[in-house]
Amino acid sequence: MKGEFLMTEPILRINNLHKKFKDTEVLKGVTLTVNEGEVVVIIGPSGTGKSTLLRCINRLTEPDAGEIYLGEHKIESAKSNLTKVRQRIGMVFQDFNLFNHLTALQNVAIGPIKVKKMNKKDALELAMRELERVGMADKAQNYPAELSGGQKQRVAIARALAMDPEIMLFDEPTSALDPELIGEVLEVMKKLADAGMTMVVVSHEMGFAREAADRIVFLEDGVIAEMGSPEKIFNNPEKERTREFISKIARLHGSDSEMPGTGS
Amino acid sequence: MGLINDKAFDVLRSIPYLLEGVGITLEITVIALVLGTIAGLFLALCRVYGGSFLHNFAVVYSRIIRSLPLLVIVFMLYFLGSEIINIPAFWAAVLALAMHTSAYQIEIFRGAIQSINKGQMEAALALGMSKYQSIFAVILPQSLRRAIPYWANEATIVLKDSAMAYVLGITELMRRSEYVSARTAQPMLTYIVSGLIYLIMTYAFTKSMAKVESKVRIPGLER
């Protein structure tokens, strides 16, 4: 088990996070610590704030209350340090969000060039290595619109990796994919997890969660209802609600595929 | 022989004279377009990304200018100019056209910017780009491509509207057409000729912009 080799240094600390959209309170006080090298998979019904939680971490969504620390660094929206913090956090979106006007290679290189001021030649070499890492080197010169969903998502992962982040956030990375394309993305993510990357993943991919996760967080109704090892959550949950939810997912699409339409 | 009498021949002999006017027409058009595009794009960025002051300024400016006939703006600038700083007729016409088109271009560029999926901006920010970097490296390269056909259409409108400069006595194509028509007493033939010249110019421009559009098209993308 991967967990036995865990380093226990906390890298991400979320403390009592609250977020309201208009009258709907989406996050009602979430507290979560992620250790270095740990893979945390967040599951939960639609609309329980899974995506909002991830987006609050790098301030794409501004939380109403609560603190988030990356290492010792408190993440705030004082704009001077926000771009610095975001460089240290890789994010992978449900809809890929590759830059449409750039080739796969340029998509991966643009972060190092624009943000880290790396010279173009080095950045392109780095980008090529990252594309190789996700098995997309042969499509380096293709534009996003010429790639399949799975290929796009792999490039998006490479784009995030090129910034050499300390932690990677995955916001339902396979939910927009056709079933036959999910595997290639999960494979890349598993490889990444095995390589020791700290990851927070919002996903209902039970196969991935079982194999790669150190911890499963069951988020419901804006709070963490239960959390624990995959073994505990899948086989022996404390709460009836957790059991219901797990069996519902399993029933809907077996234990190894993504349930469509579970976006939140 | 109908049209081909001596006076008709006079009109045809005046074509070189008309073509000199084309030079001035193009000068007015190009300068007005450059200024109008810079102002329009800048104000569109203000409108979409600016603080409330810049946003409101762009909105109000666009609304006021688009509510005025071009001719009114031309005269306003010309006579306002003559009373305060004395703008030459040529520049009054150019600035009026530039102002007029900038107001429409605000809307063109605003639409193009807002048509870009907001995930593009989020992905750029998530990489650690500043908002400024995200706009210039990610949003504008895509939205400007989308704006090309609409901008090209607006540019041909500016070309045609430049005829308005004739009211200030500028000897561009329209003004010269009037002289030729008066001299030869062949208004219909004269205006058919100048109409054809306008047609050729707009056609050539539209065609070349279509070329530009397909040249910068992003492979695989629908639009």
Side-chain angles (χ1 to χ4, degrees):
Chain A
M1 284 297 290
K2 192 170 166 295
E4 292 165 32
F5 306 105
L6 261 189
M7 289 186 275
T8 47
E9 200 71 13
I11 187 165
L12 180 74
R13 284 178 292 149
I14 301 170
N15 187 21
N16 200 20
L17 201 68
H18 287 262
K19 177 65 189 178
K20 219 183 218 177
F21 290 113
K22 288 185 185 142
D23 294 330
T24 320
E25 196 170 17
V26 180
L27 297 177
K28 302 173 182 169
V30 173
T31 298
L32 178 68
T33 301
V34 179
N35 292 322
E36 205 173 329
E38 196 180 17
V39 176
V40 174
V41 171
I42 302 175
I43 61 173
S46 195
T48 46
K50 306 185 295 292
S51 293
T52 305
L53 175 60
L54 276 199
R55 294 168 56 88
C56 281
I57 294 173
N58 67 357
R59 283 298 205 272
L60 285 181
T61 296
E62 184 67 25
D64 298 329
E67 299 97 48
I68 301 175
Y69 292 86
L70 182 66
E72 291 307 305
H73 194 122
K74 186 171 180 188
I75 303 179
E76 286 171 301
S77 286
K79 279 171 189 136
S80 55
N81 69 15
L82 191 54
T83 58
K84 289 249 156 55
V85 178
R86 282 173 173 161
Q87 293 175 38
R88 299 162 59 195
I89 305 172
M91 182 140 188
V92 174
F93 300 87
Q94 180 176 351
D95 299 321
F96 330 121
N97 294 341
L98 286 183
F99 304 131
N100 293 315
H101 62 303
L102 301 177
T103 62
L105 188 68
Q106 292 167 330
N107 259 283
V108 181
I110 192 172
I113 291 172
K114 293 284 171 192
V115 179
K116 291 191 163 173
K117 309 292 178 202
M118 191 183 282
N119 78 54
K120 227 173 172 168
K121 190 170 160 285
D122 292 349
L124 290 173
E125 279 171 15
L126 167 69
M128 202 60 192
R129 284 198 301 278
E130 297 297 353
L131 284 179
E132 276 162 17
R133 206 165 149 189
V134 298
M136 285 296 295
D138 56 326
K139 299 282 186 191
Q141 301 306 329
N142 285 88
Y143 285 84
E146 302 171 315
L147 302 175
S148 75
Q151 292 172 331
K152 283 185 209 179
Q153 197 58 299
R154 280 146 69 198
V155 174
I157 293 172
R159 175 175 67 178
L161 289 175
M163 292 299 291
D164 194 19
E166 294 163 41
I167 182 169
M168 289 275 285
L169 311 177
F170 292 83
D171 187 6
E172 306 207 33
T174 56
S175 297
L177 296 178
D178 291 335
E180 75 270 22
L181 302 176
I182 291 174
E184 60 189 78
V185 172
L186 291 181
E187 200 178 308
V188 167
M189 290 170 60
K190 255 177 239 162
K191 244 169 65 186
L192 208 53
D194 291 342
M197 175 62 76
T198 311
M199 295 163 62
V200 181
V201 184
V202 171
S203 175
H204 289 152
E205 284 300 330
M206 292 301 128
F208 174 81
R210 242 180 242 282
E211 279 183 49
D214 297 297
R215 200 154 32 120
I216 309 281
V217 171
F218 177 47
L219 198 66
E220 190 183 36
D221 205 16
V223 293
I224 295 179
E226 186 168 357
M227 98 185 138
S229 68
E231 211 151 299
K232 178 192 153 200
I233 298 290
F234 288 135
N235 304 335
N236 241 330
E238 280 168 24
K239 299 205 172 138
E240 190 46 39
R241 260 309 285 150
T242 314
R243 187 188 308 276
E244 271 171 32
F245 182 74
I246 300 281
S247 70
K248 201 159 108 193
I249 295 179
R251 199 166 55 241
L252 272 171
H253 60 121
S255 56
D256 282 310
S257 62
E258 172 72 35
M259 177 168 66
T262 49
S264 56
Chain B
M1 292 284 276
L3 283 175
I4 308 300
N5 52 29
D6 272 3
K7 282 182 172 171
F9 201 63
D10 248 13
V11 173
L12 299 182
R13 269 194 315 209
S14 303
I15 288 180
Y17 174 74
L18 291 176
L19 288 180
E20 274 174 54
V22 167
I24 300 172
T25 290
L26 287 178
E27 248 176 76
I28 295 172
T29 305
V30 170
I31 302 174
L33 259 182
V34 169
L35 296 178
T37 302
I38 293 171
L41 182 57
F42 174 74
L43 288 170
L45 289 170
C46 290
R47 165 134 193 205
V48 180
Y49 298 112
S52 64
F53 174 77
L54 288 175
H55 169 89
N56 290 336
F57 177 81
V59 170
V60 171
Y61 172 89
S62 162
R63 193 161 296 157
I64 290 176
I65 299 291
R66 284 186 297 129
S67 309
L68 300 176
L70 174 58
L71 201 51
V72 172
I73 305 177
V74 169
F75 280 135
M76 261 178 18
L77 275 180
Y78 185 60
F79 291 114
L80 181 103
S82 70
E83 275 164 35
I84 303 169
I85 40 169
N86 200 9
I87 304 176
F90 176 83
W91 284 103
V94 165
L95 289 179
L97 268 174
M99 275 176 83
H100 190 249
T101 186
S102 70
Y104 287 91
Q105 293 196 36
I106 290 173
E107 306 306 323
I108 291 173
F109 290 125
R110 175 183 66 91
I113 291 168
Q114 289 176 335
S115 75
I116 304 299
N117 187 312
K118 79 178 187 357
Q120 295 283 307
M121 173 66 99
E122 289 185 348
L125 293 176
L127 281 177
M129 286 192 210
S130 66
K131 195 154 188 190
Y132 183 85
Q133 283 178 319
S134 308
I135 292 169
F136 282 88
V138 173
I139 305 300
L140 281 185
Q142 297 183 54
S143 43
L144 290 184
R145 281 179 170 91
R146 280 193 189 176
I148 289 173
Y150 310 100
W151 182 87
N153 182 52
E154 177 61 25
T156 63
I157 292 175
V158 173
L159 174 68
K160 290 176 285 174
D161 280 354
S162 73
M164 210 70 91
Y166 105 107
V167 300
L168 300 185
I170 300 165
T171 51
E172 41 67 73
L173 178 54
M174 186 65 193
R175 187 57 150 187
R176 286 176 190 238
S177 306
E178 205 188 42
Y179 291 158
V180 171
S181 142
R183 191 158 47 79
T184 60
Q186 291 283 340
M188 189 178 77
L189 183 59
T190 307
Y191 287 116
I192 287 177
V193 169
S194 57
L196 277 175
I197 297 176
Y198 278 113
L199 182 78
I200 290 167
M201 286 194 288
T202 47
Y203 181 77
F205 181 77
T206 308
K207 273 286 169 198
S208 46
M209 283 314 289
K211 274 226 175 77
V212 171
E213 193 189 346
S214 71
K215 186 145 198 184
V216 300
R217 178 170 291 146
I218 300 163
L221 213 60
E222 286 292 311
R223 42 174 296 200

